Amino acid sequence: MSSAIGKGPVRSGLVAPLLLDHVNTDVIIRSRDIPPRASDDFGRALFACWREGTGETFVLDRPEYRGASILLAGANFGCGSSREAAVWALRDAGFDCVVAAGFGAIFRANCVQNGIVPAVLDPAWHSELAALATAGPVEVTVDVERLAVVLPDGRAAPFPLDPLQHLQLATGRTAIDLIDEHTAAIARFVDDDARRRPWAVPTTSEEAQ
Amino acid sequence: MKTRRPRTTRPPRTTRRQSVVEKIWARHVVAELAGGTALVHIDRVLVHDRGGGLTLRKLTDAGRPVARPAAVVATADHVVDTRPGRTGASEVPGGEVLLAELRAGARRHGLRLLDVDDPGQGIVHVISPEQGIALPGLTLVCNDSHTGTVGGIGALAWGVGTTELEQALATGCLLMAPPRPMRVELTGIRPAAVTAKDVALHLAGVLGEDGAAGCTVEFTGPVVTGMSVEERLTLCNLATELSARTAVVAPDDTTIEYVARTPLAPRGELWDAAVAEWTALRSDPDAEYERTATVDCGALQPQVTWGTSPAQVIGVGGRVPAGPERALTYMDLRPGQPLLGLPISGAFIGSCTNARISDLRAAAAVLRGRTVAPDVRAICVPGSGAVRRQAEAEGLDVVFRAAGFSWREAGCSMCFHAGGESFAGQRVVTSTNRNFEHRQGASARSHLASPATVAASAVAGAIADPRVP
């Protein structure tokens, strides 16, 4: 459990624009397409309900966006179900950053847990990148250390990350490793808590009867 | 009643007055890290079959035990069959693997598993408050976005992905940013025929799909204090559809009466200590919120969604608005068209939103002595084994069956299509929480509504107003 996650703090790649708002995780990967084992390939099912039978019309299937590693999304991307498979589908399809106007909270956390950068741009920068990326293939750099999306002309569009997410994405450290630094504090808390809130200690059905 | 002083006291983080959310949060902070992130103690971990077994497998493979097995409850709800006489198998592609991993993982890690043959089995967010697994003032996580449902009893509960679930199982804690409190005050006198589901859908319509994005919603106001606990569970359930991080209703006498009847509630001195703590769990009058909203419920009608998000909703007597083309096309609707009278071929009552006993009673009251229209496939899936047994004790199953509803075993069932049964290609009125494209089956067109509206529509064979006899 101590293996590093993610691809390091600086990632450059082609931007695929999917500029719809409120794209939910059911659409990113349908429930029935989620493979049962963590080692399976989730990428094949990415956006299946929007791609099936559409030839090369869906953005990810258009020749000019092949090989994109940065998805540019709209507002509230990844809302809905908590399925981490939505992030695994993006990961397995080659994406290591999602730049958006906003994210569903669980999806955003799931991105960080899997080393994918969830970058929220303010409306002006988002519109500018959207205009660039829809005009044709464009490469940008997502720099976690600088907390900026660097556009082709060198200008830097800032994005926020909370300190924990920043640390995880910059270092590749897993949350479980970070928590394990506090083992003694946790043990102390659990001990104190059993005295402070004895009613909160879980009861089994046998004890309750 | 004995009270104990905590052995270690922590200075308050700030001097300002606190909301109930901040009070519960502060009780659970194990350590504060740089930048406001906290290591937070998680009192209960709920695990379901869609991904829960794989998470336990990862712990097993890493040689890592579950930190506090007694704090964990696993249940099989997402991929299990709900047809009468089920065996514990799954029709879902890969479902057998998911169930086998859950069963093996629960056994290996010594976790309580509520499998299909257990009287306690049911939808995870229905069983946790019903059995007293979740209690007011506790923190709780589950690998499901609707975990905030149990905020209805005053617990602070978060939906998480499976990696964070693994962290909570392995350490009993999570690293989290502090909650961003948002107060949503519901005012006015709610008309009798307007349910918590109608209130919640209206709220989604008013505030939008990201109207509470990242926030922890505290529901307040006379409409909320007048709600039963089951209604509050429905209300908090749908806060997820506003992209809230979670939602909560501060515990009050209604909550305490509800919890007192649950099988796993603390007893004796422990109960007295718990009630003393729960009674203090209310927001200070001048607590600060990052955002606030006030919504009047005095003139509400029963609500029905017309689009592909819960926020695309109107009163049942209204007309389809000029909404996004994509949603109108998917739903095969035109602006200006009334929803009343729109023919349906499916009706579904179930899910963590609306499958508790009060929901089934409301639907049965509409169905009594009536029958479902020909060619409407109508299904009722109780939220838990306990709900099903209670409904059968009251004869509600007879009412549903006589009306032409299929009467099922507990589970998530056709709230979403995971393979197996679906409403593919059908127009459905449904008591569930998501009308997303293809959610209930390929090209299924889902209209979210209350159980009473679903029942009335099933009888009419078209979207119908439950207030019309």
Side-chain angles (χ1 to χ4, degrees):
Chain A
M1 279 187 202
S2 55
S3 59
I5 45 165
K7 293 189 180 174
V10 182
R11 298 132 189 238
S12 298
L14 180 64
V15 180
L18 181 66
L19 293 163
L20 295 166
D21 293 338
H22 315 300
V23 171
N24 63 68
T25 54
D26 272 75
V27 164
I28 298 173
I29 186 167
R30 284 185 299 221
S31 185
R32 68 176 178 280
D33 292 337
I34 300 174
R37 291 193 171 81
S39 55
D40 292 325
D41 175 14
F42 290 72
R44 280 179 305 181
L46 180 67
F47 291 114
C49 67
W50 285 354
R51 296 171 88 168
E52 279 171 359
T54 59
E56 293 187 344
T57 59
F58 186 73
V59 60
L60 301 187
D61 298 316
R62 284 162 58 182
E64 63 267 37
Y65 295 117
R66 288 252 167 83
S69 62
I70 297 170
L71 185 71
L72 177 64
N76 201 27
F77 185 76
C79 60
S81 156
S82 61
R83 61 190 68 175
E84 199 160 319
V87 170
W88 298 335
L90 285 162
R91 176 199 65 195
D92 291 354
F95 290 93
D96 55 29
C97 300
V98 184
V99 179
F103 289 102
I106 303 175
F107 177 85
R108 184 179 178 146
N110 286 342
C111 279
V112 174
Q113 299 302 332
N114 288 278
I116 290 180
V117 181
V120 175
L121 294 185
D122 75 24
W125 282 114
H126 187 269
S127 306
E128 191 161 338
L129 183 54
L132 274 175
T134 45
V138 60
E139 290 211 4
V140 301
T141 297
V142 176
D143 187 332
V144 172
E145 278 168 355
R146 291 173 63 191
L147 287 175
V149 178
V150 184
L151 304 187
D153 64 6
R155 285 178 307 142
F159 66 86
L161 278 179
D162 80 42
L164 174 71
Q165 296 178 333
H166 193 190
L167 174 73
Q168 281 196 259
L169 288 168
T171 63
R173 295 195 64 191
T174 64
I176 213 161
D177 284 346
L178 295 167
I179 297 174
D180 282 345
E181 292 177 355
H182 300 273
T183 308
I186 294 170
R188 225 169 19 247
F189 182 96
V190 170
D191 200 38
D192 288 347
D193 192 53
R195 274 188 287 275
R196 253 183 341 136
R197 298 186 308 154
W199 58 268
V201 174
T203 15
T204 65
S205 48
E206 289 75 26
E207 286 166 358
Q209 279 158 12
Chain B
M1 196 210 71
K2 282 186 286 187
T3 52
R4 292 188 173 91
R5 272 183 62 80
R7 202 175 60 171
T8 56
T9 46
R10 195 175 295 279
R13 286 196 306 138
T14 63
T15 52
R16 70 180 176 81
R17 309 288 279 167
Q18 289 181 310
S19 65
V20 61
V21 168
E22 293 166 300
K23 288 180 184 182
I24 300 173
W25 172 267
R27 276 295 213 187
H28 292 84
V29 172
V30 175
E32 293 204 19
L33 282 67
T37 301
L39 182 63
V40 179
H41 178 75
I42 304 298
D43 291 314
R44 302 285 185 274
V45 182
L46 278 292
V47 174
H48 69 66
D49 49 4
R50 181 50 120 173
L54 301 182
T55 307
L56 294 169
R57 158 72 58 194
K58 279 178 75 184
L59 289 176
T60 304
D61 291 349
R64 179 114 189 193
V66 169
R68 298 189 304 130
V72 182
V73 176
T75 193
D77 58 1
H78 275 59
V79 304
V80 295
D81 189 7
T82 57
R83 290 193 182 88
R86 67 178 171 191
T87 59
S90 177
E91 287 187 3
V92 170
E96 297 292 343
V97 176
L98 297 176
L99 290 170
E101 290 285 7
L102 185 74
R103 288 163 185 152
R107 202 163 46 241
R108 194 172 293 113
H109 291 278
L111 310 180
R112 184 172 171 223
L113 170 65
L114 304 173
D115 209 338
V116 289
D117 55 356
D118 190 297
Q121 184 266 347
I123 303 174
V124 63
H125 316 308
V126 175
I127 64 176
S128 61
E130 161 194 286
Q131 295 178 26
I133 297 164
L135 296 170
L138 296 189
T139 51
L140 181 155
V141 299
C142 174
N143 54 317
D144 193 277
S145 62
H146 289 109
T147 304
T149 306
V150 300
I153 62 159
L156 194 51
W158 297 281
V160 294
T162 45
T163 302
E164 287 193 299
L165 180 74
E166 182 188 345
Q167 292 154 14
L169 287 166
T171 69
C173 292
L174 272 186
L175 285 168
M176 299 177 82
R180 297 162 45 201
M182 173 177 180
R183 187 182 66 213
V184 175
E185 188 179 12
L186 301 178
T187 58
I189 298 168
R190 174 169 60 121
V194 169
T195 68
K197 177 65 161 289
D198 300 310
V199 171
L201 287 174
H202 175 66
L203 205 55
V206 171
L207 298 178
E209 291 93 336
D210 52 2
C215 291
T216 298
V217 172
E218 178 189 350
F219 288 109
T220 67
V223 172
V224 181
T225 50
M227 282 182 174
S228 69
V229 166
E230 295 199 350
E231 290 177 307
R232 296 174 188 181
L233 294 166
T234 299
L235 185 65
C236 289
N237 174 277
L238 284 163
T240 307
E241 308 313 318
L242 284 67
S243 273
R245 186 67 189 85
T246 189
V248 71
V249 175
D252 60 9
D253 290 348
T254 305
T255 318
I256 291 168
E257 279 168 35
Y258 174 94
V259 175
R261 291 194 301 269
T262 63
L264 295 177
R267 303 283 178 227
E269 277 186 27
L270 294 180
W271 172 256
D272 296 339
V275 169
E277 181 146 346
W278 298 340
T279 306
L281 284 180
R282 46 205 58 174
S283 294
D284 296 327
D286 49 356
E288 285 171 28
Y289 296 86
E290 183 177 313
R291 302 173 62 186
T292 57
T294 302
V295 177
D296 187 87
C297 301
L300 272 190
Q301 293 182 41
Q303 303 284 303
V304 181
T305 62
W306 58 266
T308 55
S309 113
Q312 291 170 335
V313 65
I314 53 176
V316 65
R319 290 172 184 273
V320 175
E325 190 57 42
R326 184 180 188 92
L328 289 165
T329 303
Y330 182 86
M331 294 301 288
D332 191 25
L333 293 171
R334 296 174 316 282
Q337 187 178 350
L339 284 184
L340 271 179
L342 188 69
I344 60 162
S345 60
F348 183 80
I349 294 172
S351 87
C352 55
T353 310
N354 277 133
R356 286 170 279 271
I357 189 67
S358 54
D359 300 312
L360 271 47
R361 286 177 188 145
V366 173
L367 293 173
R368 193 164 276 120
R370 301 164 86 188
T371 51
V372 168
D375 304 324
V376 171
R377 188 168 155 230
I379 295 169
C380 178
V381 186
S384 69
V387 170
R388 186 176 55 76
R389 288 189 299 276
Q390 178 63 30
E392 289 175 356
E394 296 176 19
L396 303 184
D397 60 319
V398 178
V399 175
F400 278 102
R401 285 205 186 93
F405 266 78
S406 163
W407 179 251
R408 296 297 183 93
E409 300 282 345
C412 300
S413 190
M414 288 158 76
C415 173
F416 58 92
H417 175 47
E421 286 186 285
S422 86
F423 286 110
Q426 292 184 275
R427 188 180 294 280
V428 188
V429 184
T430 176
S431 77
T432 54
N433 42 53
R434 289 184 176 140
N435 50 348
F436 297 161
E437 292 176 31
H438 312 287
R439 168 88 173 175
Q440 291 187 291
S443 301
R445 297 185 174 114
S446 306
H447 295 270
L448 305 178
S450 75
T453 303
V454 175
S457 303
V459 168
I463 292 177
D465 188 334
R467 297 169 298 183
V468 178

